[in-house]
């Protein structure tokens, strides 16, 4: 409050001092520039060269205009125009702090000129800086302030200002309003043969049409823009157009075409070193890969961007890259990487806030620097005011420092608040993921139970049907015998046939009952959650495998050669269950893998890791086709329907490994034979069985 009061008390005196200083500076500048200043005709030709240089590359345009300002004698108005170009090019190359400093200097120069309409450049470029910072309301305010100056100067500037306002509306997703403004600006630029502005407006119009989902019109316009850009060598605009075209093709479903265009754009920007467009291409290319279903390829593309070390400040693209990375990792259920990507997203948001604070600080410091320079000039002209000028300078500096501190504190508060919100969002997302996971588990349980009941019913139907049929036949035989007995036609031949037929039916009933009993016994094997009588013990795998597998070298009529090798490892688990698992795999090899051969080879390898041991079981049988790999552990699934197989063996193995041995088992694709990989913990006692 004290600073504000002091500022108000001294403002009148300061204003008078500034008027004197500006008059003095103007006289000096007029004296120094009227002798060797560049003729306006020659300067206007240079302006055309500046714009052509910018069209090829903003960096080249910036070098050109810096050299012009530093090495050439210019009038005040010419310096103002050159400084305007410099601020514009700094804006286009995302050097926003320098752009803000330059535009403050520009404003000070305009205040010394009679051409007050040149103040249009200050409001216009300031609006562009705040739009680039994502502060769209501030940008709109500056653009609206620029409009009166544009109307008083040139019709072209009116269209340009309307176009700038349309750019902000495009960022705010007001696509219809933006598309109308871009159409008017493009048509105006075309009528005036302003090819650079026509190119710029065409790109923006295509983006607005994409927002309106008018892809055909957008593609037509962007193709025309590409032709114009190639004709006039507008390299920067051409790179942007190619990215826009790739987006349109992707939205239309032409994914290969989109990828081809992006590769063309990538080659272009590598040659011209357009770093900002590089990010846009990487993002668009990853989105195209995702649309093609190549999620891993999309993630590899996104991983080429090191967000922490990126040298430019295309924050909008970086935010989209971080967000897409997180979403793709979530789709892949790699939640740790997804969380890391969300942290990067939060880091970028924090960088944006920091950048906004830095630009505002640069503006305040530039204004303070201009004021300080004016103070120093005032010291030369009014020596008697030295003491007062120092006091005023100190007050101004104090105000600036206070403003800077407020800006920094406010920016820090926003950044912390943003991080907190992101944490809350992530916590909510994790909670939703857990709820979804639990829901999916319940659905999977119901689906598994349904499949189990359906399979059991299918297996039981056949023997039960046979029993019913045989029982019906016995009833028929009994009725026939009774009829012949009552009719006194019963002979020993008839009685003998009755006994024979009845015995056959009885055998069918007995066989079916035995089959039912066998099915029930196999079904009981599914229960892997029983309490085990024997405790866990240490198992030395190398000797254990030799001891349990070698006796099976002649099994089910097959001659099996076991090859056991690998790391020496000792685990704590249930030896009986592990033995049964291996025996079941051998039986599976005999009945399915070696079905066409009387002999086979089984290779078992052991690989030890820090916390787990991997046992790889592979035979040289007929193998398992890739189409059914995901089905073989399903209850009642079998490829040998006519061989009295229930399809429960591998399901029992799966349940035993997972629930009793607390490990994992999977079948892998293999060119020759079947391959199973069993992963067991070094000490199963340390594994929390509640997770199973």
């Amino acid at each position: 409050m004290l600073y504000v009061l002091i500022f108000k008390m001294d403002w009148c005196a300061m204003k008078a001092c500034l008027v004197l200083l500006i008059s003095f500076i103007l006289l000096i500048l007029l004296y120094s520039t009227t002798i060797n200043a560049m003729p306006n005709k020659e300067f206007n030709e240079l302006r055309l060269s500046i714009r052509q240089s910018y069209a090829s590359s903003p960096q080249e345009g910036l070098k050109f205009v810096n050299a012009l300002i530093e090495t050439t004698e210019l009038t005040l108005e010419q310096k103002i125009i050159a400084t305007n170009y410099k601020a514009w090019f700094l804006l286009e190359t995302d050097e926003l702090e320098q752009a803000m400093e330059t535009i403050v200097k520009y404003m000070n120069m305009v205040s010394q000129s009679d051409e007050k309409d040149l103040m249009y450049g200050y409001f216009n470029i300031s609006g562009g800086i705040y739009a680039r910072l994502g502060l769209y309301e501030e940008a709109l305010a500056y653009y609206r302030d620029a409009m009166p100056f544009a109307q008083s100067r040139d019709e072209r500037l009116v269209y340009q200002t309307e176009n700038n306002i349309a750019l902000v509306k495009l960022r705010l997703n007001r696509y219809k309003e933006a598309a109308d403004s871009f159409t008017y600006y493009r048509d105006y630029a075309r009528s005036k043969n302003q090819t650079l502005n026509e190119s710029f407006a065409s790109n923006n119009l295509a983006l607005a049409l994409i927002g309106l989902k008018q892809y055909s019109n957008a593609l037509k316009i962007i193709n025309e823009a590409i032709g114009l850009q190639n004709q006039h060598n507008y390299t920067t605009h051409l790179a942007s157009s190619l990215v826009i075209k790739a987006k349109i093709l992707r939205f239309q479903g032409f994914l290969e075409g989109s990828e081809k265009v992006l590769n063309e754009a990538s080659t272009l920007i590598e040659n011209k070193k357009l770093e900002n467009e590089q990010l846009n291409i990487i993002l668009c290319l990853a989105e195209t890969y995702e649309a093609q279903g190549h999620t891993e390829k999309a993630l590899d593309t996104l991983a080429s961007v090191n967000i922490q070390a990126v040298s430019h400040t295309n924050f909008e693209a970086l935010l989209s890259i971080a967000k897409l990375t997180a979403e793709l990792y979530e789709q892949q259920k790699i939640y740790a990487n997804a969380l890391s990507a969300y942290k990067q997203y939060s880091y970028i948001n924090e960088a944006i806030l920091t950048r906004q604070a830095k630009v505002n600080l640069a503006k305040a410091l530039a204004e303070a620097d201009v004021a300080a320079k004016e103070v120093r000039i005032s010291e030369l002209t009014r020596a008697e005011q030295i003491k007062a000028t120092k006091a005023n300078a100190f007050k101004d500096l104090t105000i600036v420092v206070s403003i800077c501190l407020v800006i920094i504190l406010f920016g820090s508060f926003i950044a912390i608040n943003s991080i907190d919100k992101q944490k809350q969002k992530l916590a909510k997302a994790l909670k939703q993921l857990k709820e979804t996971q639990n829901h999916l588990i319940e659905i999977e349980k119901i689906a598994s139970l349904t499949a189990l009941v359906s399979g059991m019913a299918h297996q039981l139907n056949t023997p039960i049907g046979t029993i019913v049929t045989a029982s019906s036949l016995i009833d028929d035989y009994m009725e026939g015998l009774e009829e012949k007995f009552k009719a006194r036609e019963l002979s020993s031949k008839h009685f003998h046939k009755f006994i024979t037929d009845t015995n056959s039916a009885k055998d069918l009933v007995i066989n079916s009952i035995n089959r039912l009993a066998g099915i029930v016994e196999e079904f009981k094997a599914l229960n892997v959650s029983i309490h085990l009588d024997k405790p866990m013990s240490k198992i030395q795998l190398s000797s254990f495998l030799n001891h349990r597998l070698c006796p099976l070298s002649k099994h089910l009529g097959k001659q099996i050669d076991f090859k056991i090798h690998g790391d020496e490892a000792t685990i704590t688990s249930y030896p009986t269950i592990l033995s049964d698992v291996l025996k079941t795999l051998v039986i599976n090899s005999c009945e399915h893998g070696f079905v066409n051969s009387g002999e086979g080879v089984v290779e078992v390898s052991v690989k030890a890791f820090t916390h787990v041991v991997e046992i790889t079981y592979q035979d040289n049988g007929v193998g398992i086709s890739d189409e059914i790999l995901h089905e073989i552990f399903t209850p009642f699934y079998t490829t040998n329907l006519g061989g009295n197989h229930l399809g429960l063996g591998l399901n029992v193995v799966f349940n035993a490994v997972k629930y009793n041995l607390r490990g994992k088992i999977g079948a892998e694709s293999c060119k020759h034979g079947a391959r199973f990989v069993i992963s067991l913990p070094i000490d199963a006692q340390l594994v929390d069985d509640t997770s199973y």
Side-chain angles (χ1 to χ4, degrees), residues 213-372:
K213 299 183 179 180
Q214 297 179 15
Y215 302 127
S216 298
N217 290 340
L219 184 60
K220 178 181 177 182
I221 288 168
I222 207 64
N223 282 332
E224 292 175 358
I226 290 173
L228 181 68
Q229 292 150 6
N230 280 319
Q231 180 182 353
H232 295 279
N233 195 29
Y234 296 159
T235 310
T236 304
H237 286 190
L238 178 59
S240 299
S241 295
L242 292 173
V243 176
I244 295 169
K245 181 176 180 179
K247 289 182 180 179
I248 297 170
L249 292 174
R250 186 179 79 247
F251 289 137
Q252 288 182 320
F254 303 119
L255 303 180
E256 293 183 359
S258 175
E259 184 178 351
K260 181 179 178 182
V261 172
L262 288 171
N263 289 330
E264 180 183 351
S266 181
T267 301
L268 178 65
I269 67 164
E270 287 177 1
N271 294 336
K272 295 295 182 179
K273 299 181 179 179
L274 306 175
E275 291 184 350
N276 287 343
E277 286 303 322
Q278 177 70 46
L279 284 183
N280 293 328
I281 289 176
I282 290 173
L283 175 62
C284 193
L285 191 59
E287 290 171 341
T288 299
Y289 288 147
E290 181 194 14
Q292 291 173 335
H294 304 323
T295 305
E296 295 293 337
K297 199 171 183 181
L299 285 170
D300 290 341
T301 302
L302 294 171
S304 66
V305 178
N306 185 351
I307 292 176
Q308 302 291 339
V310 70
S311 60
H312 42 73
T313 50
N314 189 350
F315 287 107
E316 184 177 357
L318 289 175
L319 279 174
S320 300
I321 287 171
K323 183 177 180 182
L324 179 59
T325 302
E327 291 172 351
L328 292 178
Y329 276 129
E330 280 192 13
Q331 292 176 15
Q332 295 289 306
K333 297 183 179 180
I334 308 175
Y335 300 120
N337 290 353
L339 182 60
S340 177
Y342 277 126
K343 288 181 179 178
Q344 289 182 335
Y345 185 87
S346 178
Y347 162 78
I348 297 167
N349 272 320
E350 182 180 355
I352 291 173
L353 294 174
T354 303
R355 189 188 192 201
Q356 293 172 354
K358 285 183 177 179
V359 173
N360 283 323
L361 178 60
K363 180 180 180 182
L365 292 175
E367 291 173 344
D369 183 64
V370 169

Side-chain angles (χ1 to χ4, degrees), residues 346 417-429:
S346 178
N417 188 50
S418 175
I419 292 171
D420 185 60
K421 287 182 178 179
Q422 290 297 327
K423 287 182 178 178
Q424 292 177 3
K425 288 181 180 178
L426 287 173
K428 184 178 180 181

Side-chain angles (χ1 to χ4, degrees), residues 351-574:
I352 291 173
L353 294 174
T354 303
R355 189 188 192 201
Q356 293 172 354
K358 285 183 177 179
V359 173
N360 283 323
L361 178 60
K363 180 180 180 182
L365 292 175
E367 291 173 344
D369 183 64
V370 169
K373 287 181 179 178
E374 291 174 350
V375 169
R376 287 194 292 271
I377 295 173
S378 177
E379 290 174 352
L380 297 175
T381 59
R382 303 179 68 90
E384 67 275 10
Q385 295 182 354
I386 291 177
K387 187 175 181 179
T389 301
K390 288 182 177 180
N392 290 335
F394 177 78
K395 294 173 185 177
D396 291 339
L397 183 59
T398 305
I399 293 171
V400 170
V401 171
S402 299
I403 293 173
C404 293
L405 288 174
V406 170
I407 292 172
I408 292 171
L409 290 173
F410 183 69
S412 300
F413 173 77
I414 293 175
I416 293 171
N417 188 50
S418 175
I419 292 171
D420 185 60
K421 287 182 178 179
Q422 290 297 327
K423 287 182 178 178
Q424 292 177 3
K425 288 181 180 178
L426 287 173
K428 184 178 180 181
L430 287 174
K431 181 179 179 182
Q432 290 176 346
L433 285 173
K434 288 181 180 178
E435 291 176 352
T436 302
Q437 185 181 30
N438 292 335
H439 180 63
L440 290 175
I441 290 172
E442 291 301 321
I443 292 175
E444 185 179 352
K445 287 180 180 178
I446 294 172
S448 298
L449 182 59
T450 301
L452 194 62
V453 172
S454 176
M456 190 65 183
H458 176 75
Q459 294 293 336
L460 294 176
N461 276 339
T462 301
I464 291 174
T466 302
I467 291 172
V468 171
T469 302
S471 299
S472 177
L473 287 174
I474 292 173
D475 286 342
D476 290 342
Y477 296 153
M478 290 292 292
E479 289 177 2
L481 184 66
E482 185 179 1
E483 288 177 0
K484 291 186 182 295
F485 179 76
K486 289 180 179 180
R488 299 180 181 275
E489 296 176 356
L490 182 63
S491 65
S492 60
K493 180 180 179 182
H494 292 148
F495 193 72
H496 181 267
K497 185 176 185 304
F498 167 76
I499 292 173
T500 302
D501 293 340
T502 304
N503 281 333
S504 298
K506 177 200 70 175
D507 291 340
L508 284 173
V509 171
I510 292 173
N511 289 336
S512 297
I513 290 172
N514 290 333
R515 178 60 178 153
L516 284 173
I519 291 173
V520 170
E521 287 300 318
E522 289 193 51
F523 188 69
K524 284 181 180 179
L526 290 175
N527 181 15
V528 298
S529 61
I530 59 174
H531 296 288
L532 300 171
D533 294 332
K534 296 182 179 180
M536 294 185 183
S537 61
K538 290 189 178 295
I539 304 173
Q540 208 288 322
L541 283 178
S542 179
S543 60
F544 176 83
L545 293 173
N546 281 286
H547 178 69
R548 297 302 175 98
L549 290 178
C550 290
L552 302 176
S553 58
K554 292 183 179 180
H555 193 66
L556 298 181
K558 309 290 184 179
Q559 181 68 38
I560 304 173
D561 180 17
F562 289 101
K563 296 181 179 179
I564 302 169
H565 58 84
D567 300 336
E568 293 290 339
T570 300
I571 65 173
T572 301
S573 191
Y574 294 107

